[in-house]
Amino acid sequence: MKKLFTLMLVLVMALSLSACGGDGGKAPDNSGTNAPSASGGSGEVQDVTLKIWTATEELELMEKMGQSFAAAHPEYNLTFDISVMGIDESGSNLKTDMDSAADIFQQASASIPETMQKGLLLPIGYDEANLRALYPEGAISAVTGEDGLLYAVPFTPNTFFMYYNKSMFNEEEVKSVETMLAKDLGEGVYNFSFQVSGPWYLESFFYAAGCTMFGPDGKDPSSMDWNNANGIAAAKYMMDLVNHPKYLENKDGIAMNMLREGKLATHVDGTWNAAEVQKALGENYAAAPLPTINVNGKDCQLRNFADYKTYAIKSNTAYPLAAQQFVEWICNEENQLARYEDQGVPPCITSLGDKLSDDVALAALLAQSEYAVAQPNIPQINEYWTPATALGEGIYNKEITESNIQEKLDQMVDAVTGTLVE
């Protein structure tokens, strides 16, 4: 049973706005929402209770952010009820019991369309123009619904790139899978690792070969061309890759273990494991964008899903304006920087990129973002994961061969889009 930690923070603040920093002196902006006035225009302090679900590692930081928010908003007498709830669990718990769910919770941007369509999310209209100016286009797109409204505020990108041991490869060698696999690194050492069997990873090969999912803009649920000639070429490349003696399939965390033992030269992962990888590699710690693969004689850049971790608000919160203000607060520049300094969580506000340019992992993440494809944020994406897992596992286990690859890709496309059944 998940251990819940609950923090009750009650702060009664003075009425004067003059002593406050941040956005405390800013008039409430309810653009895009039907939120009531915070004080009814009479100047009285409003009692506000916000229930928050967050990650274990963010509990202490969330308390500090609550204190700073309260100091900036004396119009509220604030109570924060903060509990641990993983980002992978918040959506299902919200759907199960919306009334008991937190007002504010973490959510992956890819899951926003489903919860939005079910009417579970509050559109965020407070200070919307400022939010749109702070973030890159991809981040804003990831949290924008089909109606054009924002349904969450992103606080970190969630994608992967490649770490490498710079005593084994130099900056030029890590640009190409073929170059890496051709190098002799000694007996028992693997040159390149990936997770072909993982549905969040294998799309990299299909995107590299020129395929699309749900059309070029990711919005057409009936469109997926992974079963065309480019898709077959990508699948055949993966089939050859898993048979290469210097390739390691990253199953059950084996890649990290091999990296620690000095038996692996590269490891595809994200910033969430930067500290662990740095500890494993020591002075040989380095990172780069994903490499190219050679498909049908052409070097093609591996391109992956770009997703974001966000904070969202349930639609029936009793305090919609305060909830919007607080979500913007915990995702603002100051607090994204605090999250980075406290936990190593990379920010996604544009202005922070230059300030943190010396961070090896963050630099690789930003470089890879130039090639990344926004993970489709239409509900049809939910139909992708199971057939993609079956495809990847089939390739890795050698159950998919050249003789049945067309059939297997047709089956996958039909499972995802439902367009091939006669």
Side-chain angles (χ1 to χ4, degrees):
M1 182 176 181
K2 179 177 289 293
K3 180 179 179 182
L4 295 182
F5 172 87
T6 303
L7 168 70
M8 299 299 292
L9 173 65
V10 183
L11 294 164
V12 181
M13 310 305 297
L15 293 177
S16 172
L17 292 176
S18 61
C20 299
D23 66 349
K26 190 182 297 181
D29 176 6
N30 288 323
S31 176
T33 76
N34 61 356
S37 169
S39 61
S42 61
E44 74 258 19
V45 175
Q46 181 187 19
D47 290 332
V48 171
T49 297
L50 292 176
K51 184 176 181 180
I52 301 160
W53 285 340
T54 191
T56 304
E57 60 273 15
E58 193 147 314
L59 283 171
E60 185 177 350
L61 183 61
M62 186 63 70
E63 176 183 357
K64 294 178 181 177
M65 291 188 291
Q67 291 170 342
S68 63
F69 178 78
H73 287 273
E75 70 272 25
Y76 300 138
N77 172 26
L78 285 155
T79 300
F80 292 104
D81 178 359
I82 307 173
S83 303
V84 171
M85 181 66 69
I87 192 170
D88 296 331
E89 301 169 295
S90 59
S92 60
N93 281 278
L94 179 67
K95 287 182 283 186
T96 300
D97 188 354
M98 188 176 181
D99 290 336
S100 298
D103 298 280
I104 295 164
F105 51 90
Q106 288 189 7
Q107 184 168 36
S109 61
S111 65
I112 288 174
E114 181 185 8
T115 47
M116 179 202 72
Q117 285 204 340
K118 291 180 181 296
L120 303 178
L121 298 183
L122 181 76
I124 298 176
Y126 173 78
D127 207 18
E128 181 179 349
N130 182 52
L131 285 176
R132 292 183 180 276
L134 284 174
Y135 292 91
E137 182 179 349
I140 292 297
S141 176
V143 298
T144 300
E146 293 180 338
D147 55 8
L149 301 178
L150 304 182
Y151 282 89
V153 179
F155 66 91
T156 185
N158 186 32
T159 193
F160 53 92
F161 48 91
M162 189 175 73
Y163 294 100
Y164 68 97
N165 186 322
K166 63 183 180 182
S167 73
M168 297 180 177
F169 288 132
N170 61 39
E171 293 180 1
E172 285 300 312
E173 291 170 327
V174 296
K175 292 180 179 180
S176 163
V177 170
E178 280 65 40
T179 300
M180 289 187 287
L181 291 177
K183 189 171 183 177
D184 184 5
L185 296 177
E187 187 68 25
V189 177
Y190 292 95
N191 295 31
F192 179 63
S193 174
F194 208 81
Q195 193 178 355
V196 165
S197 57
W200 200 51
Y201 293 88
L202 92 165
E203 87 288 340
S204 304
F205 296 89
F206 290 92
Y207 282 143
C211 296
T212 63
M213 186 193 307
F214 306 138
D217 62 357
K219 301 296 185 183
D220 183 356
S222 66
S223 176
M224 187 176 188
D225 61 7
W226 288 22
N227 58 340
N228 66 11
N230 289 335
I232 291 173
K236 286 183 177 179
Y237 184 93
M238 296 161 69
M239 290 158 57
D240 290 339
L241 181 64
V242 298
N243 285 316
H244 197 287
K246 290 297 183 179
Y247 170 78
L248 176 70
E249 177 72 4
N250 186 18
K251 299 277 283 186
D252 302 319
I254 188 174
M256 183 62 76
N257 291 332
M258 298 294 276
L259 202 69
R260 293 190 191 99
E261 296 172 11
K263 296 179 180 178
L264 177 63
T266 66
H267 174 51
V268 171
D269 209 329
T271 53
W272 53 86
N273 273 333
E276 190 173 355
V277 174
Q278 186 170 14
K279 182 179 179 181
L281 293 177
E283 63 181 12
N284 293 315
Y285 173 67
L290 295 177
T292 62
I293 58 175
N294 192 276
V295 181
N296 291 334
K298 180 182 178 182
D299 288 335
C300 304
Q301 175 66 47
L302 286 173
R303 307 175 66 207
N304 52 347
F305 282 146
D307 190 20
Y308 291 85
K309 292 183 179 181
T310 77
Y311 273 100
I313 305 167
K314 71 175 182 180
S315 58
N316 68 343
T317 178
Y319 306 101
L321 176 58
Q324 290 177 77
Q325 291 171 320
F326 188 65
V327 163
E328 182 184 18
W329 185 271
I330 62 179
C331 297
N332 66 17
E333 185 178 47
E334 178 182 353
N335 285 316
Q336 285 199 24
L337 185 58
R339 219 176 253 108
Y340 170 81
E341 293 172 344
D342 183 63
Q343 305 162 31
V345 175
C348 55
I349 287 180
T350 305
S351 61
L352 290 174
D354 291 338
K355 294 181 181 180
L356 304 173
S357 58
D358 291 337
D359 185 308
V360 169
L362 182 58
L365 173 66
L366 294 176
Q368 180 61 33
S369 67
E370 296 182 18
Y371 308 119
V373 177
Q375 185 171 312
N377 64 349
I378 60 173
Q380 199 71 23
I381 188 64
N382 295 318
E383 306 302 320
Y384 164 77
W385 306 106
T386 298
T389 299
L391 179 69
E393 290 283 359
I395 290 174
Y396 173 65
N397 294 324
K398 302 177 179 58
E399 296 164 354
I400 294 179
T401 64
E402 290 201 21
S403 63
N404 67 9
I405 186 59
Q406 182 70 66
E407 175 189 0
K408 296 298 183 181
L409 289 175
D410 286 344
Q411 290 174 355
M412 180 191 176
V413 168
D414 182 59
V416 176
T417 67
T419 58
L420 300 184
V421 175
E422 295 182 358

